Structures are given as C-alpha cells and as structure tokens.
Amino acid sequence: MMTVNEVSKLTGVSIRTLQYYDKIGLLKPTKYTESGYRLYDDIALEKLQQILLFREFEFSLKEIKEIISKKDFDKNKALEQQITLLTLKKERLENLISFARGIQFIGVKAMNFSAFDTSKIDEYTKRAKEQWGNSQEYFEFQQKSKNQTKEEQNEIIQNFMQIFVEFGALKNMLPDSAKVQNQVQKLQDYISEHFYKCSDEILSNLGQMYAGNSEFTINIDNAGGVGTATFVSKAICIYCGK
C-alpha cells in the first residue's frame, strides 16, 4: 500500500488532484486508515495510469470516468490506441525539433511551416474517440499557417523576435523577478498561439537551445543584445521549475 503522498511523488500527480479524483469518484483509494489517510494498492495505481493516458487524448474527467467504469472496458485496446497516439505525438515533436534546428541554418525569415501540421494526429484521435463513443468532439488542432501569406508569416516571426528585444531591455533585472517571469509567460503564450502548443517541457528544451551557442543564440543576441540568449535561458529554467 502507498500513501497519497507517496503516490504523488511517484506519479507527479499532486495530492490535491488525487483528493479531487477521490471526491468525484474517478479514483477511490483502496482504503482509508483509521486517521482518514488515503492508501492505494497496485490495482489503484494501474487505474491511475489509465486515467493519465486518457488525459493524453484530452478526454474530460467525466468522460474518463464513464469509459473506465464500463464493464466491457478493454484495457488492451485502450493501451494500443494510446501508444499509437503518443507515437504520433513523438513524431510530430521530432519534426518540430528538426524544424527548429533548421532555423539555425536558414535564419528566422525563410521557413517551411509544414512541421506544424497536426492532421495525422487529429485524424487518429478523432477515429479513436469515435470508437469509445459518448464523447463530444474535443481535440481541436489549428492549421496555423495553412492559409497564411508569406508576409503574414514574416510578421509573425518579426513579432516573435520583438519578444527577445524586450527581454534584452530586462537584462539588468534578476531572471526570477516578476517582470521577467511575465515575459517568459508572454513568450510561451506566443509560441502556443502562433506555432504549436508550448508545454513547460518544450519551453525548457527551447531555453536550453537558446543558450547553446547556436544560430538561436546569435539571432537572440542580435535582437536583444549580447547575453540576452543566456538571460532568457536562465529565466525559462526558473519559470519551468516553478
């Protein structure tokens, strides 16, 4: 048996979230101690794994509860679909990494946006969800550059680089200051809005690349002044560790 604190440390799911899952009947503890502490066995942990994997499909908690509570719930089928989806996401992330590395050689203007195409994942998740039924259409992907002109794409990049100009003006501040951290949030939000969903994990990887003595470093330092790329990297590291 594991305590709620041990489960939280093992899985990365917060104690508050586990308490909420208990409250809504999504994941009940195996039993409670006399003092009221929650305890979880291997069966409960396996159920939690399923919940987390279905979250990758972006099912709502209500939908997940309905699915895994069905008597005919096929865990093997669900796992197979989840593996396929995660593989597609991995391929897309690898394409995005290749795209980002390409910027190191071609600069920030002439770019091919095909790496942001999510149609394969969109189609697969739509078909997978149809098989589970009782679900509304939920997984929205934006084909952000599909109908953009070259001028519009250039404007997006110029506005993107302007964010680093603003970072350069903040270099005299501590990277953990509120103003700098708000600027990191602005960067993350801009990437999510105009390029792809930028999770903290992806942002952290980008931060490492920014300070990696690459074309990224040169472009950012050209925009915000020498040392901007390293400053941004430190600020992102703090932000993603919050």
Side-chain angles (χ1 to χ4, degrees):
M1 291 282 189
M2 298 182 69
T3 65
V4 67
N5 186 53
E6 291 171 334
V7 172
S8 178
K9 290 181 179 179
L10 175 68
T11 64
V13 179
S14 70
I15 293 176
R16 179 171 295 186
T17 297
L18 291 169
Q19 292 171 339
Y20 181 68
Y21 285 176
D22 181 8
K23 180 179 178 181
I24 65 175
L26 177 61
L27 179 65
K28 287 287 187 182
T30 307
K31 67 177 184 178
Y32 301 88
T33 66
E34 292 182 359
S35 302
Y37 292 104
R38 295 170 174 82
L39 296 176
Y40 299 82
D41 63 7
D42 289 344
I43 295 176
L45 291 177
E46 182 182 359
K47 188 174 182 180
L48 178 58
Q49 286 180 333
Q50 284 294 334
I51 292 169
L52 296 178
L53 285 170
F54 270 111
R55 291 297 282 166
E56 289 296 325
F57 274 98
E58 298 193 1
F59 280 86
S60 69
L61 295 180
K62 180 180 178 181
E63 291 169 335
I64 295 173
K65 182 179 177 181
E66 291 175 354
I67 291 169
I68 64 179
S69 298
K70 291 179 179 179
K71 293 182 179 180
D72 60 349
F73 173 57
D74 188 337
K75 291 187 291 185
N76 291 329
K77 175 184 174 183
L79 184 59
E80 177 122 1
Q81 290 179 332
Q82 290 156 348
I83 290 172
T84 300
L85 175 64
L86 293 172
T87 300
L88 289 171
K89 286 187 173 184
K90 173 177 175 288
E91 290 174 355
R92 181 171 182 263
L93 184 57
E94 288 174 344
N95 288 336
L96 289 171
I97 292 172
S98 296
F99 169 82
R101 286 175 175 163
I103 298 177
Q104 296 176 345
F105 300 101
I106 64 178
V108 297
K109 291 185 179 180
M111 295 191 295
N112 178 355
F113 281 69
S114 61
F116 302 109
D117 180 25
T118 60
S119 57
K120 285 175 67 178
I121 303 175
D122 190 18
E123 175 61 23
Y124 180 79
T125 52
K126 182 178 179 180
R127 285 190 287 107
K129 190 154 191 180
E130 285 174 352
Q131 290 183 19
W132 290 111
N134 299 320
S135 302
Q136 298 177 356
E137 189 165 342
Y138 71 103
F139 207 146
E140 297 179 2
F141 289 97
Q142 299 179 353
Q143 304 280 339
K144 290 182 171 62
S145 65
K146 187 175 182 180
N147 298 315
Q148 289 175 354
T149 65
K150 185 176 180 180
E151 289 74 19
E152 289 172 331
Q153 292 178 3
N154 285 338
E155 182 180 1
I156 288 173
I157 295 303
Q158 288 170 8
N159 291 336
F160 178 61
M161 296 310 297
Q162 179 61 31
I163 294 176
F164 295 107
V165 174
E166 295 168 4
F167 266 116
L170 302 176
K171 287 203 304 286
N172 62 326
M173 298 184 177
L174 293 174
D176 63 351
S177 66
K179 195 166 185 178
V180 174
Q181 289 298 294
N182 287 339
Q183 187 69 7
V184 176
Q185 177 72 64
K186 180 179 179 179
L187 172 64
Q188 185 179 39
D189 290 344
Y190 191 89
I191 294 173
S192 292
E193 180 180 357
H194 295 284
F195 298 105
Y196 51 89
K197 184 177 180 180
C198 185
S199 66
D200 284 0
E201 182 180 358
I202 292 176
L203 183 63
S204 178
N205 290 335
L206 289 173
Q208 294 177 37
M209 294 175 69
Y210 290 163
N213 294 319
S214 62
E215 191 70 23
F216 275 119
T217 309
I218 296 172
N219 287 335
I220 292 173
D221 281 357
N222 283 341
V226 175
T228 300
T230 299
F231 177 73
V232 174
S233 181
K234 290 179 180 179
I236 288 175
C237 182
I238 293 169
Y239 178 89
C240 293
K242 68 178 187 297

